[in-house]
């Protein structure tokens, strides 16, 4: 059988096209490494999200020199963290986001990057991005999730490396101390970075200034206790402030003449008692 040359050419061209179509579809679904949510990601019972080790208290964790993991809860109608406080990460870092929802379907989109995933209750969506330069990125929810869907947004801040830390400060101490006793405030400084943190904790208690140098181990915490004689402060209210690396906690301590008397008087009538003392 004789096939015309042009017909042969068209047959070959059609074959090449078919192979090319199959090739591009295969490359697009496998070669680019695009994974569907739920494909290789973890699952989690939506009812357990709030009690989960990571998602119960979500935030930024350092896992390598320039590698961070960020756990985010997308819930009606906020990203936690992200909405009330921005997610902060340093420049030149590789960041893996893990996002899940305890309630309905949301999305987690970092505007200006290719992070844009559906967040399905019961599934943990994970994706990795590199941030080279400091900057700010908006976070938005692209899935209709309820009446406040349009207000579900947040902020991601990429900070210069030397401005980044994962330090937290919390202070405990008595509200009321009797004359003759000591005012004692305990500051707990925690360091979420892998490297040790060398810093100074400063305290100002009723005008008295104290400070202590500390080394907080990586992924650890250190307690510092500041004490001042209540006699040195004298009776009355005294403000205190404790600071470390730009973090601050403050409060007030009241020095009273005698703790037991004050407490029993409190039980009866607080206001009358104060007036009597003043006279
Ligand atoms: Cu969450 Cu829309």
């Amino acid at each position: 059988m004789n096939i015309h040359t042009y017909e042969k050419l068209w047959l070959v061209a059609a074959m090449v096209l078919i192979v090319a179509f199959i090739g591009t579809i295969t490359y697009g679904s496998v070669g680019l490494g695009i994974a569907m949510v739920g494909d290789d990601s973890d699952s989690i019972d939506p009812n357990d999200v709030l009690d989960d080790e990571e998602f119960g208290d979500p935030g930024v964790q350092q896992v390598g020199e320039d590698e961070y993991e960020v756990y985010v809860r997308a819930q009606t109608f906020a990203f936690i963290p992200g909405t009330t406080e921005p997610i902060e990460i340093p420049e030149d870092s590789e960041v893996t986001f893990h996002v899940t929802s305890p309630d309905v379907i949301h999305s987690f989109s970092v505007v200006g990057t290719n992070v844009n995933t559906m967040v399905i209750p019961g599934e943990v969506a994970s994706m990795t991005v590199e941030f080279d330069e400091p900057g700010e990125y908006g976070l938005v929810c692209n899935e209709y999730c309820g009446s406040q869907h349009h207000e579900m947004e947040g902020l991601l801040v990429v900070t210069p490396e030397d401005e980044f830390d994962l330090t937290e400060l919390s202070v405990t101490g008595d509200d009321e101390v009797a004359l003759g006793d000591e005012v004692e405030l305990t500051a707990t400084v925690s360091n979420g970075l892998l490297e040790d943190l060398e810093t100074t904790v400063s305290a100002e208690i009723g005008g008295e200034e104290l400070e202590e140098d500390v080394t907080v181990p990586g992924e650890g915490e250190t307690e510092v206790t500041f004490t001042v004689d209540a006699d040195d402060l004298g009776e009355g209210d005294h403000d205190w402030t404790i600071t470390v690396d730009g973090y601050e906690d403050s409060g007030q301590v009241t020095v009273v003449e005698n703790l037991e008397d004050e407490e029993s008087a409190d039980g009866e009538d607080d206001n009358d008692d104060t007036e009597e003392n003043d006279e």
Side-chain angles (χ1 to χ4, degrees):
M1 190 176 68
N2 184 25
I3 302 175
H4 196 275
T5 315
Y6 283 155
E7 194 159 5
K8 271 190 199 160
L9 270 175
W10 281 113
L11 276 172
V12 170
M15 286 300 186
V16 169
L17 270 177
I18 289 168
V19 171
F21 287 157
I22 293 173
T24 51
I25 290 169
T26 308
Y27 176 70
S29 59
V30 181
L32 291 177
I34 297 171
M36 297 296 163
V37 170
D39 190 9
D40 60 349
S41 62
D42 295 337
S43 58
I44 182 170
D45 186 333
N47 298 316
D48 294 340
V49 168
L50 296 180
D51 299 324
D52 184 74
E53 193 185 333
E54 309 291 1
F55 288 106
D57 182 21
V60 179
Q61 296 176 5
Q62 188 181 20
V63 292
E65 197 184 342
D66 295 312
E67 287 171 48
Y68 295 83
E69 302 215 326
V70 183
Y71 289 83
V72 180
R73 227 160 61 210
Q75 62 189 51
T76 49
F77 297 94
F79 297 108
I80 300 169
T83 299
T84 48
E85 45 172 343
I87 299 172
E88 273 190 36
I89 48 150
E91 64 185 321
D92 289 326
S93 58
E94 189 182 289
V95 180
T96 302
F97 294 97
H98 303 282
V99 195
T100 195
S101 161
D103 42 47
V104 298
I105 293 179
H106 299 275
S107 95
F108 177 77
S109 306
V110 183
V111 180
T113 71
N114 59 2
V115 174
N116 181 10
T117 182
M118 229 172 157
V119 183
I120 301 169
E123 302 283 352
V124 179
S126 301
M127 67 237 96
T128 302
V129 212
E130 283 180 25
F131 292 95
D132 297 332
E133 301 281 333
E136 292 191 352
Y137 299 85
L139 307 173
V140 293
C141 174
N142 284 332
E143 292 287 334
Y144 182 75
C145 51
S147 59
Q148 305 298 308
H149 157 70
H150 61 286
E151 289 183 0
M152 187 163 168
E153 56 186 21
L155 190 65
L156 170 80
V157 179
V158 181
T159 68
E161 202 157 6
D162 55 0
E163 287 176 22
F164 183 77
D165 63 49
L166 288 173
T167 306
E168 280 177 35
L169 168 71
S170 67
V171 180
T172 54
D174 290 327
D175 296 333
E176 237 177 34
V177 175
L179 285 172
D181 284 346
E182 282 181 330
V183 173
E184 199 175 276
L185 295 172
T186 302
T188 305
V189 183
S190 69
N191 171 24
L193 296 177
L194 298 176
E195 267 184 32
D196 292 357
L197 170 72
E198 283 183 31
T199 187
T200 303
V201 187
S202 311
E204 207 224 284
I205 307 170
E208 304 225 17
E209 290 182 13
L210 305 156
E211 63 177 37
E212 191 166 323
D213 293 334
V214 291
T215 302
V216 189
E219 292 191 300
E221 58 180 39
T222 300
E223 281 190 359
V224 187
T225 301
F226 296 100
T227 47
V228 173
D229 283 339
D231 290 354
D232 293 346
L233 296 175
E235 255 183 278
D237 295 336
H238 303 279
D239 291 329
W240 57 260
T241 307
I242 291 184
T243 50
V244 61
D245 283 356
Y247 295 88
E248 184 179 297
D249 198 354
S250 59
Q252 201 177 57
V253 60
T254 307
V255 176
V256 294
E257 198 180 340
N258 191 315
L259 211 50
E260 276 94 2
D261 281 6
E262 188 73 13
E263 269 173 357
S264 62
D266 271 356
E268 287 161 25
D269 195 330
D270 205 10
N271 289 335
D272 284 359
D273 181 59
T274 318
E275 275 163 26
E276 276 165 26
N277 280 351
D278 286 342
E279 280 163 14

